[in-house]
Amino acid sequence: MSKRNNIISYVRVVAFCFLMIGMNVCVYSQTSNETTKHINSLAQKMFVDINNRDYDAIIEMMHPKAFELVPKESFKSVFKSMFEGDEEFSIDIPKRIPEYKVSEVFKGDQNNLEYAFVSYDMNMKMTFHNQEFDEESKKMMIGMMKVQGMDVEFISSNTLDVLMNDRITILMKDDATNSNWVMINYDANSPLFVQIVPSDLIGAAKEYQQALMLKSKKESENK
């Protein structure tokens, strides 16, 4: 496999794992205080489980349809290799809870759908163990990851400092989840995401992220 294909594969894996406003879908947001508190506790738990590297807890919060496509043990192996590293590369995510925002809880008009968005920025360092980047490769890597919504700075020939902006994790429940709250990271380019999430929620998540990106851009321009 070529160096370029190697890089593309790494970026896709990272984008998959991370990990997840005006809307055109018909929703309403009359939510009980109990539900709001529960959603906030789930968001907090998600970050605590990541910090604790509690792979089983993270997997148990995932959408059950994911396991019809990929076995739980395969997910666990991916998470473990990501956080603990393998012979190819490793990722260092600071054990802290980032500043995050939880949206109001929305309700769809089909399948008893309820959902909320957790948005946040996340820092990490990525180290490639068997590969070093020259200046040309660095520029290519920076550009490719920029397209994925990641700001990258090389701090050595094989280590990158990565800022992932405006990440979104969806907390949702519907008939398919047996009315249990589950989480799934928003990734419109992931076939797994598209297969699992209802179409109206995909549209809502896209618009929510676009609104976040527009707000970030305006804030950046006003600095």
Side-chain angles (χ1 to χ4, degrees):
M1 184 180 290
S2 68
K3 180 188 292 187
R4 179 180 176 84
N5 287 337
N6 268 322
I7 295 172
I8 291 173
S9 296
Y10 296 148
V11 173
R12 284 177 176 171
V13 172
V14 174
F16 169 75
C17 285
F18 295 98
L19 352 96
M20 149 136 291
I21 299 175
M23 297 188 209
N24 293 326
V25 296
C26 179
V27 300
Y28 62 93
S29 56
Q30 294 177 340
T31 307
S32 70
N33 289 333
E34 183 178 351
T35 299
T36 300
K37 290 179 180 178
H38 185 56
I39 290 295
N40 277 277
S41 69
L42 288 177
Q44 180 82 7
K45 181 181 185 301
M46 176 180 70
F47 292 114
V48 170
D49 289 340
I50 291 173
N51 288 341
N52 292 338
R53 308 301 191 248
D54 190 339
Y55 311 121
D56 290 325
I58 295 171
I59 289 171
E60 287 306 313
M61 286 188 69
M62 292 174 63
H63 197 294
K65 281 189 176 181
F67 309 126
E68 297 174 8
L69 304 170
V70 181
K72 285 186 178 182
E73 285 305 313
S74 296
F75 275 114
K76 188 172 182 178
S77 295
V78 171
F79 289 143
K80 191 171 183 178
S81 65
M82 282 292 170
F83 286 107
E84 299 178 13
D86 56 25
E87 63 181 14
E88 297 292 338
F89 70 98
S90 58
I91 293 173
D92 179 21
I93 297 178
K95 292 187 177 182
R96 65 179 183 82
I97 295 177
E99 292 186 12
Y100 66 91
K101 179 180 179 182
V102 181
S103 74
E104 58 189 310
V105 179
F106 300 101
K107 294 188 178 182
D109 57 358
Q110 293 182 337
N111 301 321
N112 297 310
L113 174 65
E114 295 184 45
Y115 59 92
F117 303 115
V118 184
S119 56
Y120 51 93
D121 297 337
M122 181 172 285
N123 287 98
M124 66 180 185
K125 285 184 173 62
M126 181 188 299
T127 299
F128 292 83
H129 300 307
N130 300 318
Q131 183 175 346
E132 294 188 354
F133 296 85
D134 56 23
E135 291 305 314
E136 182 181 354
S137 297
K138 287 179 181 179
K139 289 180 181 179
M140 183 177 67
M141 188 68 160
I142 290 171
M144 291 171 60
M145 296 189 77
K146 185 73 173 179
V147 172
Q148 297 283 344
M150 306 179 198
D151 292 330
V152 175
E153 178 183 355
F154 276 86
I155 57 179
S156 75
S157 61
N158 68 330
T159 301
L160 301 76
D161 188 32
V162 182
L163 172 61
M164 306 171 69
N165 297 298
D166 298 322
R167 299 290 96 183
I168 294 177
T169 296
I170 301 170
L171 297 174
M172 61 165 291
K173 70 173 183 176
D174 62 4
D175 293 340
T177 71
N178 295 318
S179 296
N180 295 316
W181 286 99
V182 299
M183 69 176 185
I184 182 167
N185 288 326
Y186 173 65
D187 182 357
N189 297 317
S190 166
L192 182 65
F193 174 82
V194 173
Q195 289 184 57
I196 290 175
V197 177
S199 58
D200 57 346
L201 178 48
I202 292 174
K206 180 179 179 180
E207 293 193 21
Y208 191 85
Q209 187 184 54
Q210 288 176 336
L212 286 178
M213 294 170 63
L214 179 59
K215 181 181 177 182
S216 295
K217 183 174 178 61
K218 287 181 177 179
E219 290 175 348
S220 177
E221 291 174 344
N222 291 331
K223 287 184 179 179

